[in-house]
Amino acid sequence: MDRQKKGMLRGAGRMVLSLLCLLAICSQMFAKPPAKEKHSKKPQAAPTSQPVKNLILLIGDGMGPQQIGLLTTYAHQARQSEYVGRETAIEQAMRAGTMGLVRTAPQGVLVTDSAAAATHLATGVDAAPETVGLDRHGDPVETILEKARDAGKAVGLVTDTRLTHGTPAAFLAHRPHRSEENEIAVEMLGADADVLLGAGLRYWIPQQATEVGSAAADEIKNMTGGAFDFASRRRDNRNLLLEARLKGYQLAFTDAQMERVHSGKLLGIFGNEALSDALVQRAAGKDFHEPTLFEMTEKALELLSQDKAGFFLMVEAGQIDWACHNNDAGALLQEMLRFDKALAAILQWMESRNDTLLVVTADHETGSFGFSYSGSALPSPKKLPGSAFEDVRHAPDFNFGRPEILDRLYNQKKSYYSVFQKFDALPKEEQTPAKLAELVAANLPFPIREQQAAEILKRGANPLYVKDHRYLGSKTSPQVGDFSDFYVFGDNLRMNLLARAVAADQNIIWGTGTHTSTPVVVVAIGPESAARPFGRMMHATEVGQLMQRALFGR
Ligand code: MG
Ligand code: ZN
């Protein structure tokens, strides 16, 4: 075979690799007779019931198969891929472990939110939408974290969003609504976890701390060392940081403070709302005082693994979901890279151990994201070297997307969120379509015309609806045009419209501003008897049950 042909084949191989990743998911799934699921509602018992010592659960919030596809397509096809010569951690995990697919919706509805989804994983029982740590009737259910704690194991939660946000909350709080974050913070403190790393200081500090110059504000500033700006959302004057310290927690507000802790209980809160998004963290580089998800994960493993009885750890890459709600593909790619680095840290820690089960999964898919072929900007006909093309040119009818899109997405400097934050910080008279187009050109890899900017500003103005999950009027955003009932977060509307303006250039489509019911992937790695039962199609509650069986042997 001549070199050119070999190169062509290699190229073709790369082209289909990303597809193969998704196909592999299906083939693994369907390799097992589907009859099994039909006849046995309960998870299959592990052949040997020797429980694992440690269980690590890594959740990519909003990480459907297509989001994994973006990461792996980038890894294999981007010209300047970070992964040249090595595999992504998720592919490594899939190769080493057992893979299945997970249905995510609670009974009685078709789509889930993150709180119910996390409750499914945390408890193994069905939950009603937007509830935390309760069964579908509203009764509290003990979670895997609480059971592990009561069994004498060390337990911890790590997230790059707020500790009190839906996903982590479901592992140690029991509330009728996910928005009760003040109560969730109190329950979280009472739960006596060993390691809590994330953000969301606003639910842990007294209401009076919002008043600049007040004694409460000074006290919080003293405690946090001014690591970041804060404002309370509490409706009382409890200082949960102080209470945590009295309960024996060491407190950390910067990466350096976190790194200094090498044993004992640790509460690390690294932002008033969330940790910075992956693009801000990448741009900040070494001069940053926030830990990365990777660093928090390593620290949690260092501390929890000192417990002789073993541990349970949940790690959440929570901003995949946020990038997808915003329909921001470049930000999504960076969040997937952040997820993959955390996974790499876990895999490295697990190397040469046989006492730990790692379960990697998602709570649901967000955004109905995907690359798609279009009828715009068709590629020009090309000469191909094969014999079938001696007399004709290769001229596909459609634009199937060029791999350089992946490099451009990677080079996005700021998230859509940051761009609009910058825009909104301008004096009112400067908030013009020309200025928006200029900001987009300076920070985003796919420019828009001034007329498109005008359209985004016009249609995205005054969303009728929601702030921080509180509905102020209409629950949908009619300005988005088609499928407007699915754009329920008005704050995101301009970003959703921006995504539409660059869709053809990116070969990317987004089907919604919310979640979809797409089954998500689960990968289990560890002792074979604990990992093997995950290799089928199941409901998220069964993932929760299988994890408990692996950790407790029942
Ligand atoms: Mg979440
Ligand atoms: Zn979401």
Side-chain angles (χ1 to χ4, degrees):
M1 197 185 291
D2 66 46
R3 256 165 97 183
Q4 200 177 11
K5 271 189 191 156
K6 260 191 197 161
M8 293 269 317
L9 279 181
R10 267 202 307 273
R14 273 200 301 272
M15 300 258 291
V16 296
L17 254 173
S18 58
L19 263 178
L20 281 179
C21 279
L22 288 176
L23 284 176
I25 292 162
C26 298
S27 64
Q28 285 233 350
M29 281 283 328
F30 295 116
K32 309 227 167 192
K36 264 186 186 161
E37 202 204 351
K38 219 176 184 178
H39 295 306
S40 63
K41 280 279 175 217
K42 286 193 172 156
Q44 296 158 254
T48 57
S49 54
Q50 184 66 21
V52 294
K53 184 178 174 192
N54 314 308
L55 198 147
I56 305 166
L57 170 62
L58 173 61
I59 300 176
D61 196 319
M63 184 183 73
Q66 281 273 42
Q67 282 77 359
I68 295 174
L70 171 64
L71 174 70
T72 54
T73 307
Y74 160 81
H76 290 285
Q77 290 214 58
R79 303 217 166 116
Q80 271 136 23
S81 167
E82 273 189 14
Y83 289 94
V84 173
R86 65 191 175 95
E87 252 182 331
T88 58
I90 187 73
E91 286 164 290
Q92 214 181 312
M94 285 172 173
R95 191 164 43 75
T98 304
M99 195 160 30
L101 278 188
V102 183
R103 298 188 308 277
T104 62
Q107 277 182 46
V109 296
L110 303 180
V111 189
T112 191
D113 76 297
S114 293
T119 302
H120 289 159
L121 295 169
T123 65
V125 307
D126 191 52
E130 300 181 1
T131 62
V132 167
L134 306 177
D135 69 15
R136 59 194 295 233
H137 309 294
D139 288 316
V141 191
E142 224 187 347
T143 69
I144 186 170
L145 183 146
E146 291 164 329
K147 286 182 182 172
R149 175 201 61 199
D150 295 347
K153 292 180 186 291
V155 296
L157 295 177
V158 170
T159 179
D160 54 12
T161 73
R162 298 192 290 282
L163 282 164
T164 49
H165 208 246
T167 310
F171 285 82
L172 38 57
H174 307 273
R175 305 298 311 178
H177 199 268
R178 57 184 292 171
S179 61
E180 297 172 65
E181 292 187 61
N182 286 323
E183 292 76 11
I184 288 168
V186 171
E187 289 193 16
M188 198 164 260
L189 187 60
D192 219 24
D194 300 273
V195 175
L196 295 169
L197 300 173
L201 189 76
R202 65 197 193 189
Y203 299 104
W204 298 75
I205 58 176
Q207 187 174 37
Q208 281 166 357
T210 304
E211 243 173 79
V212 181
S214 65
D218 288 347
E219 185 182 30
I220 298 303
K221 199 157 183 199
N222 269 333
M223 292 186 88
T224 60
F228 47 84
D229 293 339
F230 56 81
S232 174
R233 288 269 179 102
R234 289 202 68 79
R235 290 180 293 274
D236 58 30
N237 279 311
R238 282 179 77 168
N239 180 346
L240 300 188
L241 297 180
L242 208 57
E243 292 183 33
R245 193 175 269 168
L246 292 171
K247 282 174 72 91
Y249 281 96
Q250 301 159 87
L251 304 182
F253 304 97
T254 65
D255 55 347
Q257 288 168 358
M258 180 186 85
E259 288 307 339
R260 277 200 289 275
V261 176
H262 293 290
S263 63
K265 285 161 65 169
L266 172 61
L267 169 63
I269 304 187
F270 307 104
N272 194 56
E273 199 225 334
L275 273 91
S276 301
D277 68 42
L279 278 157
V280 170
Q281 282 200 342
R282 180 179 73 169
K286 286 205 167 64
D287 300 328
F288 211 41
H289 300 304
E290 264 181 34
T292 61
L293 188 64
F294 169 89
E295 289 163 344
M296 291 192 291
T297 303
E298 280 198 323
K299 181 52 71 179
L301 289 170
E302 178 194 338
L303 296 174
L304 296 174
S305 62
Q306 292 169 25
D307 195 303
K308 294 218 163 37
F311 67 85
F312 170 82
L313 169 64
M314 191 286 295
V315 177
E316 182 198 20
Q319 297 196 34
I320 296 168
D321 177 66
W322 296 3
C324 291
H325 278 291
N326 297 346
N327 298 169
D328 183 346
L332 167 60
L333 175 58
Q334 293 301 324
E335 296 302 337
M336 285 304 302
L337 288 164
R338 174 146 84 169
F339 158 87
D340 204 56
K341 286 193 178 87
L343 175 54
I346 298 169
L347 290 177
Q348 182 160 20
W349 182 87
M350 283 178 67
E351 226 171 43
S352 77
R353 297 187 77 105
N354 199 33
D355 58 359
T356 302
L357 179 69
L358 165 64
V359 176
V360 185
T361 192
D363 49 356
H364 53 74
E365 193 273 347
T366 304
S368 193
F369 159 80
F371 285 108
S372 194
Y373 69 76
S374 76
S376 93
L378 299 187
S380 21
K382 255 200 217 126
K383 184 95 188 97
L384 292 189
S387 56
F389 286 93
E390 263 167 30
D391 303 322
V392 287
R393 289 180 164 243
H394 183 235
D397 289 334
F398 302 108
N399 174 358
F400 290 91
R402 286 157 302 140
E404 72 185 52
I405 288 171
L406 299 161
D407 293 289
R408 287 172 74 183
L409 288 174
Y410 180 84
N411 290 327
Q412 181 166 321
K413 290 191 188 131
K414 282 188 169 34
S415 63
Y416 290 5
Y417 184 85
S418 299
V419 166
F420 279 105
Q421 224 181 9
K422 231 176 143 94
F423 181 79
D424 291 338
L426 294 169
K428 269 275 173 279
E429 64 278 9
E430 284 179 40
Q431 295 181 14
T432 62
K435 193 71 198 175
L436 178 59
E438 190 189 310
L439 278 175
V440 168
N443 296 292
L444 304 178
F446 297 88
I448 53 171
R449 297 186 308 277
E450 198 178 319
Q451 192 203 337
Q452 289 175 302
E455 187 77 358
I456 290 167
L457 292 175
K458 190 174 124 219
R459 286 164 66 195
N462 309 316
L464 296 170
Y465 98 123
V466 181
K467 248 189 159 32
D468 288 323
H469 280 273
R470 275 203 301 276
Y471 294 108
L472 306 174
S474 163
K475 293 185 183 178
T476 65
S477 300
Q479 303 102 307
V480 83
D482 59 353
F483 298 112
S484 62
D485 289 342
F486 301 91
Y487 293 83
V488 301
F489 301 106
D491 294 341
N492 299 355
L493 190 52
R494 292 175 302 177
M495 300 186 267
N496 300 140
L497 291 166
L498 173 55
R500 281 157 188 251
V502 297
D505 290 342
Q506 294 183 335
N507 275 90
I508 283 174
I509 50 97
W510 293 94
T512 182
T514 69
H515 302 168
T516 71
S517 67
T518 303
V520 298
V521 174
V522 61
V523 185
I525 306 135
E528 221 222 323
S529 61
R532 200 187 320 116
F534 290 85
R536 62 192 177 89
M537 181 120 197
M538 66 192 111
H539 187 263
T541 49
E542 296 177 271
V543 176
Q545 291 161 28
L546 286 174
M547 288 193 298
Q548 296 203 16
R549 182 162 298 171
L551 194 57
F552 308 120
R554 65 193 134 76

